[in-house]
Amino acid sequence: MKFVVSREALIKPLQLVAGVVERRQTLPVLSNVLLVLEGDKLALTGTDLEVEIVGRVELEAPGVDGEITVPARKFVDIVRSLPDDSMIEVIEEEGRILLKSGRSRFTLSTLPASDFPNVEDGPSDLQFSAQQGEIKRLIDRTAFAMAQQDVRYYLNGMLWEVKQDQLRVVATDGHRMAMCTRELGINTAELVQAILPRKGVLELARLMNDNEDLVDIILSANHIRVASEEYTFTSKLVDGKFPDYERVLPRGGDKTMYGSRSELKQAFSRTAILSNEKYRGVRLLLDSGQLTIVANNPEQEEAEEQLTVDYDGDSLEVGFNVSYLTDVANVLDSDTVKITLSDANSSALLEEPEEGDSLYVVMPMRL
């Protein structure tokens, strides 16, 4: 195996592929990236047995075909450390890889490509195409609400729900929920649900751009595959039952408040400074035309913010985790936020006032 590649062409796909590779591995070959060369097409593959990413690079000239695996971190660090416009010559000889660039030479150990695991692919149940920007928006709008290390393992991920002409994603950690729905050209007779693991969601978000380029999405019983011209992303699905999110949506809230998103965001972040570091609770006191946000902590310190809001109804006091409210304010892009409440013990529903595609539910706190 032998080829020449520019640092510019190699660095981005190599970093994205190596990003999947875990530092601590049970199998030595999982610390490596698989290189496969066919003519002028170089494929780079990284996997942790759950998630696999294949990046493709087109070389300026064909090389000598072959396949081998090289240590991911060292390969990335070497390529990153070379000057911007350098060319890298890669030569495989006697079970080692030689990297040459200018006056620099590096020899890396290798493992045979035959040891490299392949993420098994099942028969596809559903196939459709979507713009990268749409997938990125769906993830960006909801990923923050995924659980991190919950014993309810199905919450450490994101539900993808596909039905005729619509893709909906839902994430929840049991205390808050985020949901985003986009109209897409999908042809399916039935409802298909799949839970992507947290790591898969975060890696897929790194691959997607805000453009209109299409990606092909294939959902099978155990896997999801998302393929663009440059990358193929494959992830195992979480085997579990996602909670019935429709039941979590608060119904019949009769107190509706409209406030400036930027003012609310700033007020939340200021009051958070003096909230309890562990529980992050703030009290929202709602009166006609006015919202007061109050935070206290065990040192008897207090922060108070008053905002003018569009609200005409009975007074209400309710407690929330301020971090959850801030997270929602950060992902919305409308000037105004609509918050619907019913009483001190009910969840808040946050959304954009004009035909938005996202809904957010935050459970109250007893303070």
Side-chain angles (χ1 to χ4, degrees):
M1 183 177 181
K2 182 178 178 183
F3 62 92
V4 177
V5 63
S6 71
R7 179 183 180 275
E8 266 55 53
L10 185 61
I11 185 87
K12 188 183 170 200
L14 179 59
Q15 283 179 322
L16 286 166
V17 165
V20 185
V21 177
E22 297 284 354
R23 287 191 186 277
R24 288 200 190 93
Q25 290 294 0
T26 47
L27 288 169
V29 77
L30 290 179
S31 306
N32 285 14
V33 169
L34 173 66
L35 307 180
V36 178
L37 181 68
E38 290 179 0
D40 61 354
K41 291 184 173 48
L42 174 67
L44 310 151
T45 307
T47 183
D48 66 352
L49 296 181
E50 295 287 321
V51 177
E52 177 190 87
I53 294 179
V54 183
R56 287 179 280 279
V57 181
E58 194 148 331
L59 306 178
E60 290 170 16
V64 178
D65 291 3
E67 54 182 29
I68 197 73
T69 77
V70 295
R73 298 270 167 236
K74 292 171 187 167
F75 194 20
V76 170
D77 290 345
I78 290 168
V79 173
R80 203 185 276 144
S81 68
L82 292 169
D84 283 353
D85 51 356
S86 50
M87 298 299 289
I88 304 164
E89 187 177 1
V90 180
I91 304 161
E92 179 202 347
E93 46 185 39
E94 294 171 11
R96 294 187 170 274
I97 279 277
L98 177 64
L99 305 176
K100 293 200 289 193
S101 180
R103 294 182 175 183
S104 308
R105 291 166 68 89
F106 305 89
T107 309
L108 287 174
S109 63
T110 65
L111 287 168
S114 56
D115 292 357
F116 199 79
N118 188 12
V119 174
E120 291 301 316
D121 217 20
S124 70
D125 296 341
L126 179 64
Q127 192 165 352
F128 60 95
S129 296
Q131 292 178 1
Q132 289 198 29
E134 293 278 4
I135 302 299
K136 185 167 174 56
R137 180 183 176 88
L138 285 161
I139 294 175
D140 289 350
R141 280 289 178 112
T142 54
F144 68 87
M146 290 188 293
Q148 297 214 14
Q149 287 176 320
D150 201 294
V151 290
R152 297 164 294 181
Y153 59 92
Y154 48 82
L155 296 185
N156 304 320
M158 179 185 285
L159 174 72
W160 283 37
E161 184 178 89
V162 188
K163 52 185 173 185
Q164 183 68 35
D165 296 326
Q166 181 184 298
L167 173 57
R168 171 176 287 171
V169 302
V170 185
T172 178
D173 61 6
H175 303 287
R176 51 163 169 191
M177 185 181 84
M179 179 171 97
C180 184
T181 311
R182 301 294 290 173
E183 302 299 320
L184 299 175
I186 301 170
N187 189 16
T188 174
E190 58 202 43
L191 181 79
V192 178
Q193 289 193 332
I195 306 174
L196 271 68
R198 180 184 174 81
K199 180 173 179 179
V201 172
L202 300 179
E203 292 296 341
L204 183 56
R206 289 171 54 206
L207 294 178
M208 294 293 106
N209 297 313
D210 282 323
N211 56 33
E212 296 182 359
D213 293 351
L214 288 177
V215 288
D216 293 323
I217 298 169
I218 299 167
L219 273 172
S220 64
N222 304 317
H223 290 88
I224 181 171
R225 177 163 284 184
V226 182
S228 67
E229 283 189 1
E230 296 162 349
Y231 300 100
T232 300
F233 162 90
T234 309
S235 171
K236 282 186 179 174
L237 299 175
V238 177
D239 182 15
K241 182 94 175 75
F242 203 78
D244 182 2
Y245 64 85
E246 295 274 4
R247 283 179 50 200
V248 179
L249 294 172
R251 309 267 183 221
D254 55 352
K255 299 175 177 62
T256 306
M257 180 204 99
Y258 296 88
S260 159
R261 184 180 70 92
S262 58
E263 285 179 15
L264 282 166
K265 189 170 143 183
Q266 289 165 19
F268 289 146
S269 65
R270 285 195 293 264
T271 47
I273 297 167
L274 295 187
S275 68
N276 182 319
E277 286 180 12
K278 188 174 179 189
Y279 300 109
R280 312 287 290 160
V282 295
R283 291 202 310 282
L284 271 54
L285 293 85
L286 198 52
D287 282 303
S288 187
Q290 182 175 295
L291 173 68
T292 308
I293 306 168
V294 182
N296 301 87
N297 62 24
E299 289 85 52
Q300 306 297 311
E301 297 165 331
E302 183 175 276
E304 184 179 298
E305 291 271 347
Q306 286 192 332
L307 301 174
T308 303
V309 294
D310 179 0
Y311 174 70
D312 182 19
D314 299 338
S315 298
L316 177 69
E317 180 177 338
V318 57
F320 290 107
N321 181 319
V322 69
S323 305
Y324 297 168
L325 298 174
T326 306
D327 285 343
V328 175
N330 284 337
V331 295
L332 293 176
D333 44 24
S334 60
D335 295 334
T336 308
V337 178
K338 176 184 174 186
I339 303 178
T340 308
L341 299 152
S342 50
D343 57 50
N345 301 315
S346 301
S347 299
L349 183 67
L350 292 83
E351 58 191 310
E352 290 157 326
E354 303 295 324
E355 294 302 305
D357 59 8
S358 311
L359 288 176
Y360 301 93
V361 178
V362 179
M363 285 176 68
M365 284 178 78
R366 285 219 173 87
L367 294 172

